[in-house]
Amino acid sequence: MATVTETQQRATAQEKLLASLPAKHVAPLWEVIHAVTPPRPNPKASPALWKYDEILPYLLEAGKVVSDKEAERRALMFVNPSLKSPYTTDTLYAALQLVQPKETAPAHRHTAFALRYIIEGERGFTAVEGQKMWMKKGDMILTPSGQWHDHGHEGEGPMIWLDGLDLPLYQCFPTNFMENYKSDRYPSEPNSDSPLRFPWDEVKADLDSQTGSHAMHFYKSPEGKEVSRTLGAQAERINAGATSPPRRETCSFVFHCASGRGYSRLVMPDETEKVLEWKDNDTFAVPTWTKITHTCIGSENAYLFAFSDRAMVQDLGMYKIE
């Protein structure tokens, strides 16, 4: 057994060693091994809720004081309270974007994949690689990586949608490029049957055709694959007064209430619980490996849209569900 003196000498030697390492840009793994290899998923993000009626006035004010030319993309990012922008969760970015009548969000392209879930407005459009797609409430429109795209509005009143991107990934992989097109609009023609547009009417019809008090729809490409290599999307129906079965997955989510009222009970990986109450057009973030149940408390069924990093997690062989 080591003597007190020997123990003190050993501690002093360790302190000396640790003090000498930073100058050589090395660090001891044994000091952080439990942090980098935790016994369970350990997301940095926390559950968070953004109420649409609280955020909307700020977005509309931005529409008055920030022009489309100044902003390029007039959007308010949903920043996770435990992180900083562009993190809505550890791997997902979400924002509300506004385009006013006769405005143009100019054409550009970037490495990041994007999807748009339309919240309100008529006669707005997204043009992607020459396909001009009209926006309708509840529709999801994709912007694949590297494709030219612009947004415009030929109707009345504000056009607002939820942006979903994989931007946080590029904080680890510094490979995201953006390139502006030579003019504000990329040449396009209307396309009412583009595989990049997923009409809400069809999604809702599928949900309503399923039996039971809870139903799920997973958005797929025409080939039956996830809509991108990094992000996937889903929708759910929860009947009035019902609660969805509990699910826990090794992926994070951004949920958006398409219609209805309810709450989500979230059990985090460390077993702490949080309840988020939502209604029409509210958005909320759920970190990875969180047990989720949704309860509809209104007199009408509730419908939720969500996007997640499930596609990437599955392809990397890290997906697990309980």
Side-chain angles (χ1 to χ4, degrees):
M1 180 178 295
T3 66
V4 173
T5 300
E6 289 173 335
T7 301
Q8 292 174 338
Q9 289 174 342
R10 185 178 182 83
T12 299
Q14 288 183 0
E15 291 177 4
K16 183 178 180 181
L17 170 64
L18 295 178
S20 67
L21 296 179
K24 300 301 180 183
H25 304 291
V26 296
L29 173 61
W30 61 87
E31 292 278 299
V32 297
I33 190 167
H34 296 298
V36 298
T37 55
R40 58 179 180 266
N42 187 27
K44 296 182 177 64
S46 56
L49 171 71
W50 293 270
K51 292 186 174 295
Y52 188 69
D53 57 6
E54 294 179 1
I55 304 299
L56 181 59
Y58 295 97
L59 186 63
L60 295 178
E61 180 65 15
K64 297 176 183 177
V65 302
V66 181
S67 73
D68 55 334
K69 298 297 185 294
E70 291 175 297
E72 181 154 338
R73 295 295 188 266
R74 190 193 292 110
L76 292 181
M77 300 181 291
F78 291 145
V79 182
N80 193 278
S82 297
L83 299 168
K84 60 182 181 179
S85 64
Y87 296 96
T88 305
T89 74
D90 293 82
T91 52
L92 304 175
Y93 162 98
L96 290 182
Q97 185 168 165
L98 166 69
V99 175
Q100 298 280 36
K102 300 180 181 180
E103 288 186 340
T104 297
H108 65 202
R109 61 183 179 184
H110 41 66
T111 309
F113 169 84
L115 59 82
R116 332 281 177 186
Y117 177 85
I118 313 309
I119 297 175
E120 65 173 273
E122 296 286 343
R123 299 289 295 173
F125 67 86
T126 288
V128 181
E129 286 287 316
Q131 301 180 67
K132 183 178 181 180
M133 293 165 281
W134 297 107
M135 296 174 166
K136 184 179 178 182
K137 178 175 172 59
D139 290 356
M140 182 181 78
I141 299 175
L142 308 182
T143 304
S145 172
Q147 296 197 359
W148 294 109
H149 57 282
D150 57 79
H151 312 299
H153 190 1
E154 298 178 7
E156 302 294 329
M159 196 77 216
I160 299 172
W161 62 85
L162 176 71
D163 280 328
L165 284 85
D166 53 9
L167 281 175
L169 302 182
Y170 300 101
Q171 307 304 302
C172 296
F173 301 101
T175 55
N176 188 27
F177 294 86
M178 189 187 82
E179 179 183 1
N180 291 315
Y181 189 61
K182 60 186 178 182
S183 60
D184 285 351
R185 293 274 173 85
Y186 185 84
S188 64
E189 295 292 336
N191 186 337
S192 61
D193 196 33
S194 172
L196 300 178
R197 178 175 168 268
F198 296 77
W200 175 251
D201 290 346
E202 296 178 9
V203 174
K204 185 176 183 296
D206 177 56
L207 291 171
D208 290 342
S209 71
Q210 299 178 42
T211 59
S213 61
H214 176 253
M216 296 191 70
H217 173 92
F218 295 94
Y219 291 78
K220 298 293 183 181
S221 71
E223 298 76 30
K225 299 179 179 179
E226 296 284 358
V227 296
S228 80
R229 293 185 296 270
T230 53
L231 302 186
Q234 65 188 55
E236 299 182 51
R237 167 179 54 79
I238 309 99
N239 282 6
T243 297
S244 65
R247 290 170 65 93
R248 181 163 70 167
E249 304 173 67
T250 49
C251 49
S252 61
F253 294 88
V254 172
F255 285 93
H256 179 84
C257 179
S259 64
R261 294 175 57 243
Y263 63 86
S264 297
R265 186 177 301 277
L266 310 176
V267 182
M268 299 289 289
D270 62 3
E271 300 303 320
T272 59
E273 293 191 20
K274 187 163 187 176
V275 175
L276 301 178
E277 297 185 7
W278 38 261
K279 61 182 186 303
D280 290 2
N281 297 330
D282 289 349
T283 302
F284 58 101
V286 178
T288 188
W289 204 235
T290 296
K291 184 181 293 185
I292 308 169
T293 58
H294 307 300
T295 299
C296 175
I297 60 175
S299 58
E300 303 289 335
N301 295 347
Y303 293 85
L304 298 175
F305 167 82
F307 68 93
S308 74
D309 54 4
R310 184 189 292 116
M312 176 186 67
V313 173
Q314 286 178 328
D315 278 356
L316 291 174
M318 299 185 295
Y319 182 70
K320 183 177 180 181
I321 181 172
E322 290 184 348

